[in-house]
Amino acid sequence: GEPALARVLAEMGRGATFEAALQAATGLSPAGLEAALSTDQRAQLLARYPVGVHVWPRAGPPGAPFQFAAVGLPAGEELTKQFVRDDGYHARSSGGPSIVDRFGAAFWTFQTRPESPRATWTLTVEGSQGTRATVTFYVELPLSDAAPQHP
Protein backbone atom coordinates (compact mmCIF):
# COMPACT_ATOMS: atom_id res chain seq x y z
CA GLY A 1 0.00 0.00 0.00
CA GLU A 2 0.91 3.67 0.27
CA PRO A 3 3.05 3.33 3.42
CA ALA A 4 5.24 0.70 1.74
CA LEU A 5 5.58 2.86 -1.37
CA ALA A 6 6.60 5.84 0.79
CA ARG A 7 9.23 3.69 2.53
CA VAL A 8 10.59 2.44 -0.83
CA LEU A 9 10.81 6.01 -2.16
CA ALA A 10 12.46 7.24 1.04
CA GLU A 11 15.10 4.48 0.81
CA MET A 12 15.74 5.31 -2.84
CA GLY A 13 16.00 9.01 -1.90
CA ARG A 14 18.83 8.00 0.42
CA GLY A 15 20.63 6.38 -2.53
CA ALA A 16 19.46 2.77 -2.27
CA THR A 17 18.78 0.80 -5.44
CA PHE A 18 15.17 -0.15 -6.11
CA GLU A 19 15.90 -3.77 -5.20
CA ALA A 20 17.53 -2.80 -1.89
CA ALA A 21 14.78 -0.27 -1.09
CA LEU A 22 12.05 -2.79 -1.82
CA GLN A 23 13.75 -5.41 0.35
CA ALA A 24 14.18 -2.93 3.23
CA ALA A 25 10.62 -1.59 3.03
CA THR A 26 8.68 -4.82 2.41
CA GLY A 27 11.02 -7.72 3.06
CA LEU A 28 10.48 -8.85 -0.54
CA SER A 29 12.76 -9.04 -3.55
CA PRO A 30 11.33 -7.90 -6.91
CA ALA A 31 10.79 -11.58 -7.84
CA GLY A 32 9.11 -12.22 -4.48
CA LEU A 33 6.86 -9.19 -4.93
CA GLU A 34 5.88 -10.36 -8.43
CA ALA A 35 5.07 -13.83 -7.13
CA ALA A 36 2.96 -12.37 -4.30
CA LEU A 37 1.12 -10.06 -6.69
CA SER A 38 0.54 -12.91 -9.14
CA THR A 39 -0.94 -15.05 -6.38
CA ASP A 40 -3.14 -12.16 -5.22
CA GLN A 41 -4.28 -11.33 -8.77
CA ARG A 42 -5.15 -14.97 -9.46
CA ALA A 43 -7.08 -15.22 -6.19
CA GLN A 44 -9.06 -12.08 -7.05
CA LEU A 45 -9.91 -13.40 -10.52
CA LEU A 46 -10.98 -16.79 -9.18
CA ALA A 47 -13.10 -15.21 -6.44
CA ARG A 48 -14.90 -13.12 -9.02
CA TYR A 49 -15.09 -15.59 -11.90
CA PRO A 50 -15.20 -19.37 -11.57
CA VAL A 51 -12.68 -21.42 -13.54
CA GLY A 52 -13.77 -21.58 -17.17
CA VAL A 53 -14.69 -19.36 -20.11
CA HIS A 54 -17.05 -16.42 -19.64
CA VAL A 55 -18.82 -14.12 -22.12
CA TRP A 56 -20.09 -10.57 -21.74
CA PRO A 57 -22.65 -9.61 -22.78
CA ARG A 58 -24.52 -12.91 -22.92
CA ALA A 59 -26.77 -11.48 -25.66
CA GLY A 60 -26.46 -8.55 -28.03
CA PRO A 61 -27.78 -7.14 -31.28
CA PRO A 62 -26.26 -7.80 -34.70
CA GLY A 63 -22.96 -5.93 -34.96
CA ALA A 64 -22.26 -6.21 -31.24
CA PRO A 65 -18.82 -7.16 -29.91
CA PHE A 66 -18.72 -10.00 -27.38
CA GLN A 67 -15.90 -10.07 -24.81
CA PHE A 68 -14.53 -13.38 -23.54
CA ALA A 69 -12.40 -14.23 -20.52
CA ALA A 70 -10.82 -17.59 -19.78
CA VAL A 71 -10.02 -17.80 -16.07
CA GLY A 72 -8.13 -20.25 -13.88
CA LEU A 73 -6.25 -22.00 -16.69
CA PRO A 74 -2.60 -23.11 -16.72
CA ALA A 75 -0.20 -20.25 -17.42
CA GLY A 76 1.27 -20.42 -20.93
CA GLU A 77 -1.49 -22.63 -22.32
CA GLU A 78 -2.30 -21.88 -25.97
CA LEU A 79 -6.03 -21.65 -26.63
CA THR A 80 -7.64 -22.18 -30.03
CA LYS A 81 -11.19 -20.97 -30.53
CA GLN A 82 -14.01 -21.99 -32.85
CA PHE A 83 -17.22 -19.97 -33.15
CA VAL A 84 -20.18 -21.89 -34.62
CA ARG A 85 -23.72 -20.65 -35.18
CA ASP A 86 -26.70 -22.91 -34.37
CA ASP A 87 -27.32 -23.47 -38.10
CA GLY A 88 -23.83 -25.02 -38.43
CA TYR A 89 -22.18 -21.91 -39.91
CA HIS A 90 -18.55 -21.51 -38.77
CA ALA A 91 -17.34 -17.93 -38.27
CA ARG A 92 -15.09 -16.72 -41.07
CA SER A 93 -12.43 -16.00 -38.48
CA SER A 94 -12.09 -17.25 -34.94
CA GLY A 95 -8.96 -15.18 -34.38
CA GLY A 96 -5.48 -16.40 -33.67
CA PRO A 97 -4.56 -18.48 -30.64
CA SER A 98 -4.74 -16.82 -27.23
CA ILE A 99 -2.03 -17.45 -24.64
CA VAL A 100 -3.00 -17.74 -20.98
CA ASP A 101 -1.08 -15.17 -18.94
CA ARG A 102 0.80 -15.81 -15.71
CA PHE A 103 -2.39 -15.06 -13.74
CA GLY A 104 -4.22 -17.92 -15.48
CA ALA A 105 -6.34 -15.68 -17.71
CA ALA A 106 -6.75 -14.89 -21.40
CA PHE A 107 -9.06 -12.34 -23.03
CA TRP A 108 -10.39 -11.82 -26.55
CA THR A 109 -13.26 -10.26 -28.52
CA PHE A 110 -15.61 -11.66 -31.16
CA GLN A 111 -17.23 -9.01 -33.36
CA THR A 112 -20.53 -9.90 -35.00
CA ARG A 113 -21.52 -8.30 -38.28
CA PRO A 114 -24.31 -5.70 -38.54
CA GLU A 115 -26.13 -8.03 -40.96
CA SER A 116 -25.82 -11.06 -38.64
CA PRO A 117 -29.06 -13.01 -38.30
CA ARG A 118 -30.63 -13.76 -34.94
CA ALA A 119 -28.80 -16.87 -33.76
CA THR A 120 -27.33 -18.84 -30.92
CA TRP A 121 -23.54 -19.07 -31.13
CA THR A 122 -21.32 -21.60 -29.38
CA LEU A 123 -17.67 -20.94 -28.70
CA THR A 124 -15.50 -24.01 -28.23
CA VAL A 125 -12.08 -23.46 -26.68
CA GLU A 126 -9.37 -26.11 -26.75
CA GLY A 127 -6.05 -25.71 -24.97
CA SER A 128 -2.62 -27.15 -25.52
CA GLN A 129 -2.58 -28.41 -21.91
CA GLY A 130 -5.94 -30.16 -21.99
CA THR A 131 -8.45 -27.37 -21.42
CA ARG A 132 -11.76 -27.83 -23.24
CA ALA A 133 -14.68 -25.48 -22.64
CA THR A 134 -17.79 -24.23 -24.40
CA VAL A 135 -19.91 -21.16 -23.84
CA THR A 136 -23.09 -20.04 -25.59
CA PHE A 137 -24.09 -16.49 -26.49
CA TYR A 138 -26.90 -14.95 -28.49
CA VAL A 139 -27.28 -12.48 -31.35
CA GLU A 140 -30.80 -11.12 -31.20
CA LEU A 141 -32.79 -8.07 -32.17
CA PRO A 142 -32.86 -5.27 -29.60
CA LEU A 143 -35.51 -5.77 -26.93
CA SER A 144 -37.54 -2.93 -28.38
CA ASP A 145 -37.89 -4.95 -31.62
CA ALA A 146 -38.47 -8.46 -30.35
CA ALA A 147 -38.47 -10.60 -27.23
CA PRO A 148 -35.29 -12.57 -26.50
CA GLN A 149 -35.13 -16.06 -27.97
CA HIS A 150 -33.09 -17.77 -25.26
CA PRO A 151 -33.83 -19.03 -21.74
Side-chain angles (χ1 to χ4, degrees), residues 51-120:
V51 172
V53 177
H54 306 275
V55 59
W56 188 88
R58 184 91 170 153
F66 291 85
Q67 306 294 320
F68 294 86
V71 178
L73 305 183
E77 185 170 27
E78 182 176 284
L79 306 175
T80 58
K81 306 163 298 265
Q82 184 64 54
F83 294 88
V84 181
R85 206 166 54 200
D86 55 355
D87 64 2
Y89 173 81
H90 289 248
R92 288 182 215 165
S93 173
S94 291
S98 297
I99 305 299
V100 177
D101 67 21
R102 69 179 188 260
F103 304 117
F107 305 93
W108 62 91
T109 301
F110 179 73
Q111 177 74 48
T112 60
R113 298 184 182 280
E115 66 277 7
S116 294
R118 175 185 286 170
T120 300

Side-chain angles (χ1 to χ4, degrees), residues 41-59:
Q41 179 67 36
R42 184 174 175 86
Q44 287 181 35
L45 279 173
L46 292 175
R48 189 173 225 186
Y49 303 101
V51 172
V53 177
H54 306 275
V55 59
W56 188 88
R58 184 91 170 153

